[in-house]
Amino acid sequence: MMRVVFRVDASFEIGTGHVMRCLTLAEALRKRAAVCTFVCRSFPGNLIKEIQKREFDVAVLPFDRNQTKHDIKGPIHAKWLGDDWETDAEQLKLYVSAKAVDWLIVDHYALDAHWESALLQHCRKLMVIDDLADRPHACDLLLDQTFGRDPIDYHHLLTRDCHLLCGSQFALIRPEFSALRQQSLRRRTKPTLRKLLITMGGVDKNNATEQLLEALKKCQLPDECHITVVMGATSLSIENVRIKARHMPWPTRLLIDVKGMARLMANCDLAIGAAGTTSWERCCLGMPTILVTLA
């Protein structure tokens, strides 16, 4: 039985995409009889309860806003860790040392080769999920699903014995999206605009959804158009968006933490959405998209 530990966080600053793609991988591994556990810091906007809903154990690392260090050194996103990498590594060691960990998987822009080197002796293999190619890593396997990513981008950042998976052919997509691909493509042979989907990310940073709905009022959408807005439960702007939706010129519904996202997307004609993890889901379904960069 393989034991896998994920070190990943979600927060209002980090967003939800890192956790969601790790959950996709964890669910696939569970089908192969692996036991997966998550280690997450209790940031405001975390997804700990969502992970637990999916029946994965979560070891919670403490977060004290009043004691957050402001002089953290390291990668560009080092402050996203909520503490220095040494403390984070020691906290994780206390957890993994009591278990035989086959794979430690880390998906965190705030961590690099320093943290990874400190954990290598506490697991059999270490995997990194990254998108940035902006810092060195000490790992056995690195996955970067960025479209057009070239292995040469990591040439000076990895040891020679690291196995590298680069490009969108390695995108972490839930099986239900692949299952609906052909159906979704068929319904787009005669393009229409009756169902518009808005997904600005699980956190909806900077109230992007509310701003978008206001902007849409000035657009000449078809009279028969229906708008569906999808948001995450951690978003702070849900109530504002709910009020805004009631006053749209077109029927507009707000859905929170949608479980059947693949089916919903396959049945929509156009998406306006944030760039990120769900970009690959839209591509898989051949869904025309107006993409907005928020990060």
Side-chain angles (χ1 to χ4, degrees):
M1 180 176 61
M2 182 167 64
R3 292 185 178 275
V4 181
V5 173
F6 288 84
R7 175 67 188 95
V8 61
D9 285 324
S11 72
F12 293 130
E13 182 69 21
I14 295 170
T16 61
H18 298 274
V19 167
M20 297 309 293
R21 67 186 180 188
C22 284
L23 279 170
T24 297
L25 180 54
E27 288 171 344
L29 290 170
R30 180 161 59 186
K31 290 179 180 178
R32 300 189 179 195
V35 175
C36 298
T37 304
F38 284 72
V39 179
C40 305
R41 198 168 294 280
S42 56
F43 290 120
N46 68 73
L47 289 182
I48 292 171
K49 289 184 178 179
E50 176 62 27
I51 298 170
Q52 293 170 333
K53 282 182 184 178
R54 302 199 188 194
E55 300 183 346
F56 291 106
D57 289 336
V58 183
V60 180
L61 302 181
F63 172 68
D64 186 343
R65 187 191 303 271
N66 296 323
Q67 295 182 8
T68 299
K69 300 178 181 178
H70 299 285
D71 58 344
I72 299 175
K73 298 179 180 179
I76 296 173
H77 297 85
K79 291 183 179 179
W80 284 14
L81 196 59
D83 214 324
D84 55 69
W85 70 264
E86 294 96 337
T87 300
D88 193 276
E90 289 302 317
Q91 290 172 335
L92 189 58
K93 284 178 188 178
L94 293 175
Y95 176 76
V96 299
S97 295
K99 303 177 181 292
V101 177
D102 295 292
W103 280 93
L104 174 58
I105 301 177
V106 55
D107 186 347
H108 212 303
Y109 292 163
L111 298 173
D112 61 8
H114 293 95
W115 183 94
E116 295 152 11
S117 296
L119 270 301
L120 281 174
Q121 61 181 334
H122 296 277
C123 58
R124 292 192 175 94
K125 298 285 185 178
L126 193 149
M127 175 183 179
V128 171
I129 301 175
D130 189 32
D131 309 297
L132 303 179
D134 69 341
R135 60 203 188 282
H137 294 286
C139 56
D140 300 285
L141 175 65
L142 187 141
L143 166 64
D144 186 330
Q145 61 187 20
T146 303
F147 176 72
R149 175 68 75 198
D150 193 308
I152 196 67
D153 297 335
Y154 282 96
H155 177 71
H156 62 296
L157 300 174
L158 302 173
T159 57
R160 291 184 178 181
D161 57 348
C162 176
H163 188 62
L164 188 58
L165 303 177
C166 277
S168 54
Q169 67 269 32
F170 298 108
L172 295 168
I173 299 177
R174 300 197 303 277
E176 53 263 38
F177 287 92
S178 300
L180 289 171
R181 175 174 168 79
Q182 293 306 318
Q183 174 186 324
S184 180
L185 293 177
R186 280 195 299 270
R187 73 179 300 278
R188 304 183 194 288
T189 56
K190 295 182 180 181
T192 60
L193 181 49
R194 293 190 178 92
K195 296 181 179 180
L196 174 61
L197 177 65
I198 297 175
T199 57
M200 303 307 291
V203 170
D204 188 27
K205 192 174 182 181
N206 300 323
N207 297 333
T209 301
E210 189 177 356
Q211 296 178 56
L212 179 57
L213 289 177
E214 188 62 34
L216 280 174
K217 290 181 179 180
K218 304 174 185 178
C219 295
Q220 295 181 353
L221 296 178
D223 292 339
E224 66 272 21
C225 186
H226 286 67
I227 301 174
T228 299
V229 180
V230 174
M231 302 180 72
T234 60
S235 174
L236 297 177
S237 57
I238 289 176
E239 289 309 313
N240 288 341
V241 171
R242 198 185 304 278
I243 295 171
K244 186 78 67 175
R246 295 194 193 108
H247 297 90
M248 292 295 291
W250 308 272
T252 302
R253 61 174 177 166
L254 172 61
L255 303 179
I256 309 298
D257 279 355
V258 174
K259 300 306 177 187
M261 193 65 182
R263 178 70 60 182
L264 176 64
M265 290 173 64
N267 290 329
C268 284
D269 303 309
L270 173 70
I272 303 178
T277 301
T278 195
S279 297
W280 310 123
E281 297 166 354
R282 299 185 195 113
C283 288
C284 181
L285 296 175
M287 189 175 192
T289 301
I290 298 173
L291 199 64
V292 183
T293 301
L294 297 179

